[in-house]
Amino acid sequence: MGTALAAAIAGFAAQRQVRAEHRHWRRQMRRDAYAALAARADEVREALRGIEAEFGTPAHDLQELRTVLTETRRTIRDELGDALRSVELEGPPELARMAGELVKSLSACAAVIQARTGGRTTNQALGADQLARIRGFLNHADGKRERFMASASRAIDVR
C-alpha cells in the first residue's frame, strides 16, 4: 500500500512538472510572437515618421522617399503580416485583435502618405494641414501600439 501511494504521489508530481513546463513553453512562444510583432511595428513606425519629417522639408528627395515608402509598405504586408499571423496563432484572441488593429493603423498611415504624395512632381514641402493629418495617423498607431504592449505584458505575466 505504501509503495502504491508513493508511486501515485510521484506520478502526480511528474504531471504537475510537465504542466508547469508546458505553461512556461507557451508563455515563451507568446513572448517571442509579441516581441516580433512589436519589433516590426517599431521599424515601420520609425520609417513612417522619417518619411513624414522629410516631406516637411523643401529639399527632400521625392524619388528616394517614394522608394522608402514602397519598401515600408512591403514590410507592412510581408514581415509585419507574418508577425501578426504568429500572434493570431498564439493568442489570446483579444490580443490578436489588438495586434490586427495596430497593423491596420500603420497600413492606413502608409496609405495616407501615399495618397498625399502620389501625384507630386516637385520637392515642395507638404503643407501644415497635410503633415498634421499624417501625424494624426502616426499618433493613432502609437496609441494602438501602447495598448498592444500593455496587454501583451499582462498576457505573458510580465510585471
Side-chain angles (χ1 to χ4, degrees), residues 20 28 55 60 67:
Q28 186 64 36
F55 271 123
H60 62 267
T67 300

PDB file of all heavy atoms in Angstrom, residues 20 28 55 60 67:
ATOM      1  N   ALA A  20       3.681  22.555 -15.728  1.00  0.00           N
ATOM      2  CA  ALA A  20       4.425  23.792 -15.478  1.00  0.00           C
ATOM      3  C   ALA A  20       5.390  24.081 -16.634  1.00  0.00           C
ATOM      4  O   ALA A  20       5.498  25.229 -17.086  1.00  0.00           O
ATOM      5  CB  ALA A  20       5.185  23.703 -14.158  1.00  0.00           C
ATOM      6  N   GLN A  28       6.691  31.480 -23.374  1.00  0.00           N
ATOM      7  CA  GLN A  28       7.851  31.863 -24.177  1.00  0.00           C
ATOM      8  C   GLN A  28       7.476  32.006 -25.650  1.00  0.00           C
ATOM      9  O   GLN A  28       7.929  32.936 -26.319  1.00  0.00           O
ATOM     10  CB  GLN A  28       8.972  30.829 -24.022  1.00  0.00           C
ATOM     11  CG  GLN A  28      10.257  31.213 -24.706  1.00  0.00           C
ATOM     12  CD  GLN A  28      10.890  32.461 -24.127  1.00  0.00           C
ATOM     13  OE1 GLN A  28      10.837  32.693 -22.934  1.00  0.00           O
ATOM     14  NE2 GLN A  28      11.478  33.277 -24.984  1.00  0.00           N
ATOM     15  N   PHE A  55       9.136  64.879 -45.715  1.00  0.00           N
ATOM     16  CA  PHE A  55       8.172  65.570 -46.573  1.00  0.00           C
ATOM     17  C   PHE A  55       7.865  66.974 -46.054  1.00  0.00           C
ATOM     18  O   PHE A  55       7.322  67.798 -46.771  1.00  0.00           O
ATOM     19  CB  PHE A  55       6.878  64.766 -46.727  1.00  0.00           C
ATOM     20  CG  PHE A  55       6.911  63.815 -47.878  1.00  0.00           C
ATOM     21  CD1 PHE A  55       6.684  62.462 -47.686  1.00  0.00           C
ATOM     22  CD2 PHE A  55       7.173  64.250 -49.165  1.00  0.00           C
ATOM     23  CE1 PHE A  55       6.714  61.571 -48.744  1.00  0.00           C
ATOM     24  CE2 PHE A  55       7.210  63.366 -50.234  1.00  0.00           C
ATOM     25  CZ  PHE A  55       6.987  62.021 -50.022  1.00  0.00           C
ATOM     26  N   HIS A  60      13.670  67.762 -49.844  1.00  0.00           N
ATOM     27  CA  HIS A  60      13.649  66.299 -49.803  1.00  0.00           C
ATOM     28  C   HIS A  60      13.821  65.700 -51.202  1.00  0.00           C
ATOM     29  O   HIS A  60      13.533  66.335 -52.200  1.00  0.00           O
ATOM     30  CB  HIS A  60      12.363  65.787 -49.144  1.00  0.00           C
ATOM     31  CG  HIS A  60      11.112  66.165 -49.870  1.00  0.00           C
ATOM     32  ND1 HIS A  60      10.395  67.292 -49.566  1.00  0.00           N
ATOM     33  CD2 HIS A  60      10.453  65.567 -50.888  1.00  0.00           C
ATOM     34  CE1 HIS A  60       9.351  67.377 -50.361  1.00  0.00           C
ATOM     35  NE2 HIS A  60       9.361  66.345 -51.172  1.00  0.00           N
ATOM     36  N   THR A  67      10.616  55.520 -52.749  1.00  0.00           N
ATOM     37  CA  THR A  67      11.237  54.198 -52.637  1.00  0.00           C
ATOM     38  C   THR A  67      11.132  53.685 -51.204  1.00  0.00           C
ATOM     39  O   THR A  67      10.769  52.522 -50.971  1.00  0.00           O
ATOM     40  CB  THR A  67      12.715  54.259 -53.084  1.00  0.00           C
ATOM     41  OG1 THR A  67      12.761  54.682 -54.449  1.00  0.00           O
ATOM     42  CG2 THR A  67      13.397  52.917 -52.937  1.00  0.00           C
TER      43      THR A  67
END
